[in-house]
Structures are given as C-alpha cells and as structure tokens.
Amino acid sequence: MAGQWLDFATIKHEVSIRDLLAHYGFLEGLKEAKPGKLVGPCPIHHGTGKASFHVDCEKNIWNCFSVCKGGGNVLDLVMKVENCSIREAGEKLAEWFKLTFDRTKQPKKSAKVSEKPAPDSIPAAAHVERQVEVVNPPLERPLRNLDAKHPYLKERGLTPETVVHFGIGFCTRGLMQRRIAIPIHNEKGELVAYAGRAVDEAMAEEKGKYRLPDGFKKAHVLFNLNRAKAHDAHGARGLIVVEGFFGAMRVHQAGFPSVVALMGSTLSDEQERLLVAHTDRLALMFDGDAAGVKCLREFYGRLRRRMYLREIHLEDGEQPDTLSAERIRTILGDER
C-alpha cells in the first residue's frame, strides 16, 4: 500500500471507529453510556479518569478530555496512537481493513460539490442576510464597466473572468458602502459572509482595510476551500495556502485553482482541522515578510507530522497578490 494513492474520504467513511478500537484492544476498558456512545479511561495515554475518553459511534469520532486534549476521526486516532503522519495512518488503515480505491471514480463529497449551484446563486446564511441585502449582485459583465467603476480591481491585477468566478461585487450603501464585496463560502459551498475591502487607502487607514459582518469568525473558514477541494478531489497535488483573498485570487488566475486563504497570518485550530480533513499535502506560499516567515514556522511546527509540507520562500517584500502570473507559475510549476 505504501506509495499508492489514498482516498481519505473513503477511509473515514468505511472504517468504523468501534472496529478500530477493537483492533487496538481498546474496547475492553470502555462501556456503553447510551446507544452508540462509549466512555471510559483514555486507552491512548492509559488515563485513570473514569470518563475522560468519549466515542460517538454514529458520528465515527472520538475525544479525550484529559492528557490527549484532542480527538477526531479514525485517521486522527491512528496518528495519535502511532505518532505518525496522516499518510502513514491512511496506509495502515487501508491495510488493516482491506480497503481498495478507484482513482477514476469521483468521490461522493466532491460529486456533491460539483452539483451545487454557482456561488452567486447560493442563498446567504441567516445570520448574514442583513449584510447581503446591501450588496449588489455579483458583476456579470465586468470589463467595460469594471474599468470605469472599479479601477481598484484592475489595479489589483484581476481579470474580468476572475471577478465573475469569485462573484465580486460592490457595496453601494449600508455598513460596507464604497467597498469591494468579496463573498466568503464555507467548505460546503454555503455563503456565510461578505468581506468589504476599502477601495482607497484613505478609507483603509481611517476605517480599516476590511469589514466583516458581526458574529462572523474568519478563523472558522478557509477562503475558497469549497472550490479548491473540488479541483484537488483525489489529493494528488494537495492545496496551496496563502494569507489573503487577493493572493488566492491571483494564484487561481495564474492557473492554480486548488488554492485557499487563511484570511490572516495565523492558523486557527478549526482551519487546521479543515486542512487535515481535505488533504495530506500543502504548498505554503506566504508573504515575504516577518509575519509570513512566522506563519511558515507555525505551520511546520503544527503539521509536519500530519502531512507533506512544501515551503515556498518569497523574496523580501514579495506577496502572492502582487506577483505576475509568470512569477507564480515559475514558483508553483509542479503544483498543477
């Protein structure tokens, strides 16, 4: 199995958490608190707490509330017990439970993504409806109107096709008046917020570069993951990670659609969970400044045992959102 392609979605779906616990001999110390729920001392670190380890057999997940301070799916359990990478965990599970994978078939999750309506037709989540009401529909015929009304987008190097693809609009009134509107979708493709980007530096300095709706937590989302995971459905190339919206859009525009953005320069726990759930390979392309270097170190420290990481060191002052398409292709040539 080593070196062969793995379908992580199939592994998580096909391997029962109860069967995996039985494989390790962990079921003996657990008891059924209610149908489908197991509790007991943590068998991973041999804990003594009577109910520190919880298993939900229906959701196929586990949690330790003691020393491990973590949980997850069957892959996470193997990584914890064996102290190995996600790739190694997948190989072990495939071998133990006799799993085979057909790379020519579209995974179920990815097929659902392809069947979803285009992002600009997806209804907004209830908690951001107030923001959606004050945002124009995404631009549909950009270039002629775009040059006259939105020189900012042209200055940022976005083509009309990219503007349409990401559903970028313009706020004419309300909280985000005179700001570029960037739709943000969760990993399921559901619209959860609009980011309002100031179109001139004076506004950015006075009122902030970006505005987001009250209650929206960017740490819970990876920008463009819903599209990127469809382009990397089989995990062959992995995902490219950048810091900001415009960096992701420029990398996509250069021919690399499997790109996501943190919407910042730090990796949250939820963003880490999303990345691990969808790939085992990352190309890290952060800004060539102190914050970017710090972000690279953080990723390496947290994820080096869980997946393959490729660090891309940009020159001092370089940023993905200001690089030419040729420069991006030179840097990421083997990621397509």
Side-chain angles (χ1 to χ4, degrees):
M1 195 71 209
Q4 295 187 24
W5 175 73
L6 299 173
D7 184 341
F8 291 102
T10 296
I11 292 172
K12 289 184 285 186
H13 182 266
E14 295 296 329
V15 177
S16 159
I17 189 74
R18 185 188 287 270
D19 290 345
L20 180 57
L21 291 168
H23 173 85
Y24 277 121
F26 289 166
L27 280 180
E28 186 176 330
L30 303 177
K31 64 180 181 180
E32 194 160 15
K34 58 178 70 172
K37 311 285 186 182
L38 304 176
V39 298
C42 179
I44 301 173
H45 69 266
H46 308 294
T48 56
K50 292 183 178 179
S52 61
F53 190 77
H54 290 221
V55 179
D56 188 322
C57 296
E58 291 183 3
K59 294 182 179 179
N60 223 34
I61 59 174
W62 63 277
N63 279 284
C64 172
F65 299 99
S66 183
V67 176
C68 296
K69 298 292 185 187
N73 55 50
V74 291
L75 287 161
D76 296 305
L77 183 64
V78 175
M79 286 190 288
K80 193 73 174 179
V81 175
E82 307 286 345
N83 191 27
C84 65
S85 70
I86 188 173
R87 171 81 194 180
E88 293 168 324
E91 290 173 348
K92 291 177 186 295
L93 287 168
E95 180 182 352
W96 296 339
F97 294 95
K98 311 301 181 187
L99 301 180
T100 58
F101 312 107
D102 185 351
R103 190 168 185 173
T104 64
K105 292 183 179 180
Q106 185 81 346
K108 293 181 180 179
K109 284 190 175 181
S110 297
K112 290 181 180 178
V113 171
S114 65
E115 294 168 2
K116 286 183 177 291
D120 58 0
S121 65
I122 296 173
H127 71 279
V128 295
E129 284 181 355
R130 180 173 60 83
Q131 295 297 339
V132 174
E133 290 173 359
V134 302
V135 178
N136 280 352
L139 303 177
E140 294 178 355
R141 304 182 338 221
L143 194 55
R144 287 194 302 271
N145 295 330
L146 182 60
D147 286 351
K149 293 185 178 181
H150 306 290
Y152 177 81
L153 293 177
K154 185 179 179 183
E155 290 169 6
R156 296 301 299 262
L158 300 186
T159 65
E161 293 77 15
T162 299
V163 171
V164 171
H165 179 80
F166 285 94
I168 301 173
F170 188 74
C171 307
T172 57
R173 61 188 185 278
L175 177 66
M176 296 187 187
Q177 184 176 2
R178 292 173 51 228
R179 289 175 180 264
I180 297 298
I182 304 171
I184 303 172
H185 301 83
N186 63 17
E187 74 275 15
K188 298 177 182 178
E190 299 165 335
L191 179 65
V192 294
Y194 278 96
R197 206 309 181 174
V199 296
D200 60 69
E201 293 309 312
M203 179 191 290
E205 290 180 10
E206 180 184 354
K207 298 183 178 180
K209 186 180 294 185
Y210 284 100
R211 278 192 176 172
L212 292 163
D214 293 340
F216 171 71
K217 297 180 179 179
K218 63 182 182 180
H220 291 185
V221 180
L222 285 165
F223 177 70
N224 198 49
L225 178 59
N226 60 306
R227 301 181 186 92
K229 70 178 185 178
H231 287 284
D232 188 52
H234 299 300
R237 296 291 184 181
L239 300 176
I240 302 164
V241 186
V242 298
E243 293 179 42
F245 301 108
F246 284 91
M249 289 187 275
R250 289 289 293 271
V251 170
H252 167 91
Q253 186 173 283
F256 302 89
S258 58
V259 59
V260 300
L262 298 175
M263 297 181 284
S265 57
T266 58
L267 175 68
S268 71
D269 291 341
E270 180 62 15
Q271 288 173 328
E272 179 180 343
R273 185 194 69 77
L274 288 169
L275 289 172
V276 170
H278 288 97
T279 189
D280 67 340
R281 293 176 61 93
L282 295 178
L284 310 176
M285 188 177 179
F286 302 134
D287 296 355
D289 57 15
V293 172
K294 181 180 178 182
C295 202
L296 273 175
R297 290 173 179 167
E298 180 183 8
F299 264 76
Y300 185 78
R302 290 171 63 168
L303 296 176
R304 65 188 177 88
R305 291 185 178 274
R306 307 188 75 179
M307 60 178 66
Y308 169 78
L309 301 177
R310 178 188 173 197
E311 299 182 19
I312 297 166
H313 296 273
L314 298 183
E315 299 293 332
D316 187 23
E318 281 190 326
Q319 299 177 181
D321 60 326
T322 60
L323 298 178
S324 67
E326 291 73 21
R327 172 70 170 143
I328 293 173
R329 285 193 282 267
T330 297
I331 295 170
L332 291 172
D334 62 346
E335 297 297 328
R336 281 196 285 187

